[in-house]
């Protein structure tokens, strides 16, 4: 009888983790996405020269990241997504070339350093989301751990991906990396055991899953469930029908469906109507739209300012990411107006900025995050379209307590936009700028925009 209690105790432990960091808990969070190797080099890092080679390790550590928790929290972030933590093949500064699932990447520090980072974050009320890969391992199969990941029979035969063929997408090698035979029951069990251990060992609150569309769909539900926490997957495809095919397999997905029309509008390449249409499509296509992650750039895409060098437009796009439906994800360095191009130029070290908390974008993000928190965390599946114009889009949330007016007119522009708030005789304060607004007895309001910046109204 005694031995039967051990699994129950483990289940109880996992359940306690899940209760504290399940999907519902994550919906009101605000995520800062950090490449561990690029944030800070030590606990005393106050800034310095730029890393000379962004294609290799630059020296960021867990201790360095821990020392910047207040810097991150100062922008209103209460969750951090960190890149994979496991030991990597040489050159895997980013973490996506795993070599040993049960060892920590020594370039970042020790297992104890990682535990200290997670514990320090928790003490500040910050969740930590760990990035994981189950599609592939790094180069040099013979060196991989644990067994049988060091055997060629654990992998598919090498082939180049044909992206018009889903079987090829799932079975061939992305970037010449060994593609795991994830249909093998032994491999599935190995990864389920590992993710369960990883969460229990380090106390992570969530999991971001890399290269989801490169693995057959039925691999994911048991893997996600084994983690016991919120899981968000990367399906790198903007087609909402294709994306929605993965929606029931894990807690949430990165919202690539919204990513494209959102950036097109705020970068003056597309219409507000196209964005609104996609919001509506997502509403009808996904079981839980509020569990999707909203973002405007990341380590796989050129930085936003590299595509459109206009801080006012960036502020409008960030207002959408942080204040529209979904879980916001902001890529590190956005607060310092980084503008790097494609990988690895978009993976700049943060220390070159001197961790400036007075920068224009740091303060802008702080104001947007504060509005999200003041509106109650915005966890709901709500986004009411109020105004769709050639150069503007406004929506409301939280029953009209929050109204956001964005434009794509850009730096130096001004305008006057009149629309119905659906709140008669309402009163709001502009928390991104200054001033207050009231609606008339029918709910109509006129809002003035200045220098192309968004207007964020919170109920007075």
């Amino acid at each position: 009888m005694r031995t039967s209690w051990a699994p129950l105790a483990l289940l109880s432990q996992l359940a306690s983790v899940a209760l504290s960091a399940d999907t519902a808990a994550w919906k009101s969070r605000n995520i800062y996405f950090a490449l561990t190797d690029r944030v800070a080099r030590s606990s005393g890092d106050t800034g310095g020269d730029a890393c000379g080679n962004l294609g290799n390790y630059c020296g960021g550590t867990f201790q360095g990241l821990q020392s910047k928790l207040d810097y991150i929290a100062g922008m209103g972030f209460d969750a951090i997504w960190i890149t994979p933590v496991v030991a990597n093949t040489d050159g895997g500064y980013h973490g996506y070339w795993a070599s040993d699932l049960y060892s920590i990447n020594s370039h970042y520090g020790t297992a104890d350093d990682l535990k200290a980072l997670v514990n320090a974050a928790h003490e500040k009320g910050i969740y930590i989301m760990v990035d994981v890969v189950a599609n592939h391992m790094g180069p040099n199969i013979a060196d991989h751990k644990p067994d049988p990941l060091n055997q060629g029979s654990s992998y598919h035969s090498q082939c180049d991906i044909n992206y018009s063929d889903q079987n090829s997408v799932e079975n061939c090698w992305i970037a010449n990396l060994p593609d795991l035979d994830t249909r093998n029951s032994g491999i599935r069990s190995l990864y389920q055991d590992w993710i369960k251990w990883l969460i229990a060992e380090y106390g992570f609150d969530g999991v971001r899953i890399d290269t989801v569309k490169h693995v057959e769909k039925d691999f994911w539900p048991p893997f996600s469930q084994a983690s016991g926490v919120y899981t968000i997957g990367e399906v790198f495809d903007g087609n909402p029908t294709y994306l929605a095919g993965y929606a029931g397999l894990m807690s949430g997905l990165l919202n690539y469906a919204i990513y494209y029309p959102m950036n097109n509008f705020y970068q003056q390449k597309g219409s507000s109507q196209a964005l609104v249409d996609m919001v509506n499509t997502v509403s009808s296509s996904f079981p839980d739209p509020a569990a999707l992650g909203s973002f405007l750039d990341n380590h796989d895409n050129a930085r936003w300012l590299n595509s459109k060098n206009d801080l006012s437009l960036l502020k409008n796009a960030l207002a959408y990411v942080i204040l529209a439906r979904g879980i916001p994800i902001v890529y590190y360095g956005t607060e310092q107006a980084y503008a790097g191009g494609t990988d690895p130029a978009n993976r700049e070290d943060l220390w070159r900025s001197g961790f400036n908390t007075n920068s224009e974008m740091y303060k802008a993000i702080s104001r947007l995050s504060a509005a999200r928190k003041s509106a109650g965390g915005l966890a709901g599946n709500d986004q009411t379209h109020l105004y769709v114009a050639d150069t503007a889009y406004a929506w409301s949330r939280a029953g009209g307590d929050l109204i956001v007016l964005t434009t794509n007119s850009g730096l130096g522009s001004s305008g006057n936009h009149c629309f119905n708030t659906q709140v008669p005789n309402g009163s709001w304060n502009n928390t991104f700028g200054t001033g207050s607004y009231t609606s008339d007895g029918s709910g109509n309001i006129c809002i003035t925009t200045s220098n192309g910046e968004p207007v964020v109204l919170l109920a007075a």
Side-chain angles (χ1 to χ4, degrees):
M1 286 294 292
R2 290 180 63 192
T3 55
S4 67
W5 288 104
L8 287 174
L10 178 60
L11 284 171
S12 173
Q13 180 187 12
L14 288 171
S16 67
V17 173
L19 287 173
S20 62
D22 61 7
T23 302
W26 273 93
K27 285 180 179 177
S28 61
R29 293 277 158 164
N30 191 4
I31 303 172
Y32 184 81
F33 171 30
L35 267 67
T36 300
D37 183 62
R38 300 294 150 95
V39 175
R41 296 159 293 185
S42 68
S43 58
D45 198 338
T46 57
D49 294 338
C51 176
N53 179 11
L54 295 178
N56 208 332
Y57 285 97
C58 287
T61 64
F62 296 131
Q63 288 187 359
L65 181 54
Q66 182 179 335
S67 75
K68 300 306 172 191
L69 290 176
D70 288 341
Y71 167 90
I72 295 168
M75 288 175 275
F77 294 110
D78 50 14
I80 304 171
W81 153 18
I82 60 173
T83 38
V85 298
V86 301
N88 264 231
T89 303
D90 287 349
Y93 71 89
H94 40 66
Y96 298 98
W97 294 350
S99 61
D100 183 353
L101 297 184
Y102 285 89
S103 294
I104 294 302
N105 191 326
S106 60
H107 290 270
Y108 306 155
T110 65
D112 285 342
D113 290 340
L114 178 54
K115 290 176 182 177
L117 165 62
V118 175
N119 290 337
H122 287 169
E123 289 173 4
K124 295 178 183 293
I126 299 171
Y127 282 176
I128 298 290
M129 171 183 285
V130 66
D131 205 328
V132 301
V133 187
N135 170 67
H136 58 267
M137 293 284 285
N140 306 326
I141 291 173
D143 296 332
H144 293 342
K145 297 176 183 177
D147 294 347
L149 299 182
N150 57 354
Q151 298 168 22
S153 58
S154 295
Y155 302 86
H156 294 127
S157 299
Q158 186 166 6
C159 50
D160 295 329
I161 297 175
N162 171 7
Y163 280 93
S164 62
D165 177 356
Q166 184 62 29
N167 284 328
S168 175
V169 170
E170 293 174 5
N171 296 323
C172 291
W173 293 27
I174 187 170
N176 291 318
L177 296 168
D179 194 81
L180 286 155
D181 180 8
T182 44
R183 286 184 175 82
N184 181 303
S185 61
I187 296 296
R188 289 190 173 197
S189 295
L190 185 156
Y191 272 84
Q192 290 164 27
D193 291 344
W194 169 68
I195 194 65
K196 192 177 295 184
W197 171 85
L198 188 72
I199 299 302
E201 181 71 10
Y202 294 101
F204 294 119
D205 307 284
V207 176
R208 182 266 186 183
I209 306 174
D210 188 62
T211 47
V212 164
K213 73 176 183 180
H214 294 275
V215 178
E216 69 280 0
K217 289 178 179 177
D218 64 1
F219 174 91
W220 293 120
F223 179 83
S224 179
Q225 290 158 15
S227 76
V229 294
Y230 171 77
T231 51
I232 183 168
E234 177 218 21
V235 176
F236 200 151
D237 197 298
N239 181 331
T241 304
Y242 184 88
L243 193 63
Y246 292 85
L249 310 181
M250 54 197 67
S251 313
L253 298 167
L254 295 176
N255 199 343
Y256 268 105
I258 290 290
Y259 165 81
Y260 292 102
M262 177 193 68
N263 279 345
N264 283 343
F265 175 60
Y266 293 113
Q267 292 178 354
Q268 301 175 330
K269 297 183 294 188
S271 69
S272 57
Q273 188 63 56
L275 172 56
V276 167
D277 290 345
M278 186 59 79
V279 172
N280 295 338
T281 297
V282 168
S283 296
S284 61
S285 304
F286 290 78
D288 195 358
L292 303 175
S294 300
F295 63 100
L296 50 76
D297 60 10
N298 57 30
H299 58 326
D300 292 325
N301 298 278
R303 286 194 182 267
W304 206 91
L305 289 173
N306 186 265
S307 301
K308 192 69 176 181
N309 189 18
D310 184 313
L311 290 184
S312 288
L313 288 173
L314 175 58
K315 291 172 187 175
N316 283 274
L318 283 166
Y320 186 91
V321 166
I322 295 173
L323 298 174
R325 181 182 61 193
I327 303 170
I329 302 171
V330 178
Y331 189 36
Y332 85 98
T334 303
E335 74 275 12
Q336 303 299 344
Y338 282 2
T342 53
D343 166 19
N346 58 349
R347 302 176 177 186
E348 307 96 321
D349 57 90
L350 194 54
W351 50 85
R352 71 179 68 180
S353 72
F355 309 103
N356 181 9
T357 57
N358 289 311
S359 71
E360 182 176 349
M361 292 311 304
Y362 186 101
K363 292 191 286 189
I365 292 169
S366 301
R367 292 198 299 275
L368 294 170
S369 298
R372 180 178 176 86
K373 189 170 185 178
S374 295
L378 299 178
N381 180 22
D382 64 312
Q383 182 172 333
T384 302
H385 310 305
L386 299 179
Y387 180 59
V388 184
D390 287 347
T391 61
Y393 170 53
W395 68 94
S396 68
R397 299 193 65 194
D401 285 351
L402 174 75
I403 293 174
V404 185
L405 171 63
T406 59
T407 72
N408 73 344
S409 299
L411 202 65
S413 66
S414 60
N416 191 49
H417 300 271
C418 301
F419 54 91
N420 192 288
T421 63
Q422 301 182 17
V423 180
N425 301 309
S427 180
W428 300 266
N429 293 319
N430 179 11
T431 63
F432 195 80
T434 58
S436 58
Y437 290 87
T438 55
S439 61
D440 66 19
S442 300
N444 296 312
I445 199 171
C446 288
I447 298 174
T448 300
T449 58
S450 176
N451 199 29
E453 299 209 337
V455 175
V456 178
L457 303 183
L458 273 169

